[in-house]
């Protein structure tokens, strides 16, 4: 059993803090900014024991140097295929890192696409997926490829349906707005939008989400559903024959007309 606490950073980032109950140590996932992490550690009298990084973007790694100054010698885990200053333990597919200060089993999944070396941490019924999958949507393609991101999302879709997904940004309502463009008739989507709007209005994070819910409402995980294929074909003006092509058309449609 681990506890997972959200620390807010920048406008819409979540830095996830992981700890065992009653432990005085915690692990930070993607600390893009050290300030809110140091504040939380001070308020709770908890020591930082390690850092987990999913990819190289500044809003995920920017706090590493200061956190390592404040807690000298801590282990910093990150993707072996990306150059990130401060990473002490480069990871690859299938690695099961033993994380100091945390009694929990996590396994590394390589999920390229948003960036070329992006990794996710899976275990304890949860997935820390960085900017690969978002609640109701997915990351943009930067230095990876559309095909990679499509395959990575397909992989996440195969995890147990009750897996809780901890992404790194609060983008849910905007994402579900695009999902409605794609599937205006999807009743699960209407129901979810209502629930997530109420959470937002009460200041409650809409993350984590549950994979089963994503499979019913996130168009980027529904590239084999006929209505999604049809919408992607109308938007792109092309006949689309593979889930990867449908994914690419959806992502490009969102990039060019929605965001
Ligand atoms: Zn990113
Ligand atoms: Fe990000």
């Amino acid at each position: 059993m681990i506890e997972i606490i959200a620390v807010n950073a920048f406008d819409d980032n979540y830095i996830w803090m992981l700890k065992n109950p009653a432990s005085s140590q915690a692990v930070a996932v993607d600390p893009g900014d050290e300030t809110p992490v140091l504040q939380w550690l001070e308020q709770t009298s908890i020591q930082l024991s390690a850092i987990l990084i999913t990819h190289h973007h500044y809003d995920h790694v920017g706090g590493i140097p200061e956190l390592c100054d404040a807690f000298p010698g801590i282990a910093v885990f990150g993707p072996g295929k990306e150059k990130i200053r401060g990473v002490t333990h480069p990871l690859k597919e299938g690695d099961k890192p033993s994380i100091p200060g945390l009694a929990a089993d996590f396994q590394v999944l390589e999920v390229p696409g948003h960036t070329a070396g992006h990794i996710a941490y899976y275990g304890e019924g949860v997935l820390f997926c960085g900017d690969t999958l978002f609640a109701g949507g997915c990351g943009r393609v930067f230095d990876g490829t559309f095909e990679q991101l499509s395959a990575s999302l397909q992989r996440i879709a195969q995890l147990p349906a009750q897996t809780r997904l901890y992404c790194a940004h609060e983008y849910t309502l905007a994402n579900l707005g695009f999902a409605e463009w794609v599937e205006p008739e999807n009743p699960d989507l209407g129901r979810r939008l209502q629930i997530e709007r109420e959470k937002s209005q009460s200041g409650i994070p809409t993350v984590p989400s549950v994979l089963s819910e994503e499979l019913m409402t996130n168009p980027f995980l529904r590239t084999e559903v006929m209505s999604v294929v049809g919408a992607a074909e109308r938007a792109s003006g092309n006949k689309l024959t593979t889930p990867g092509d449908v994914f690419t058309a959806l992502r490009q449609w969102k990039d060019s007309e929605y965001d």
Side-chain angles (χ1 to χ4, degrees), residues 147-208:
E147 290 69 26
Q148 283 178 329
L149 187 52
S150 174
S152 294
L153 294 175
Q154 294 298 324
R155 226 185 135 192
I156 291 173
Q158 304 303 315
L159 296 174
Q162 69 276 17
T163 304
R164 277 167 296 136
L165 306 169
Y166 286 81
C167 60
H169 292 270
E170 178 65 54
Y171 290 157
T172 314
L173 283 185
N175 283 335
L176 293 176
F178 177 72
E180 276 208 310
W181 281 19
V182 181
E183 288 190 283
E185 318 263 271
N186 179 346
D188 296 316
L189 189 53
R191 179 185 50 75
R192 183 175 182 187
L193 251 168
Q194 178 109 26
I195 292 169
E196 307 294 16
R197 273 200 196 112
E198 281 165 17
K199 281 191 205 160
S200 292
Q201 279 158 10
S202 319
I204 300 168
T206 64
V207 183

Side-chain angles (χ1 to χ4, degrees), residues 13 55 57 59-60 114 131 169:
N13 282 67
H55 69 292
H57 284 160
D59 62 311
H60 300 252
H114 175 69
D131 289 354
H169 292 270

Side-chain angles (χ1 to χ4, degrees), residues 30 51-57 60-62 64-65 76-90 115 117-119 121:
D30 283 351
I51 292 173
L52 305 181
I53 299 293
T54 62
H55 69 292
H56 69 83
H57 284 160
H60 300 252
V61 305
I64 296 174
V76 182
F77 298 89
K81 290 181 178 165
E82 297 190 349
K83 271 212 173 62
I84 300 169
R85 196 159 66 97
V87 167
T88 58
H89 293 63
T115 63
H118 199 303
I119 60 172
Y121 299 87

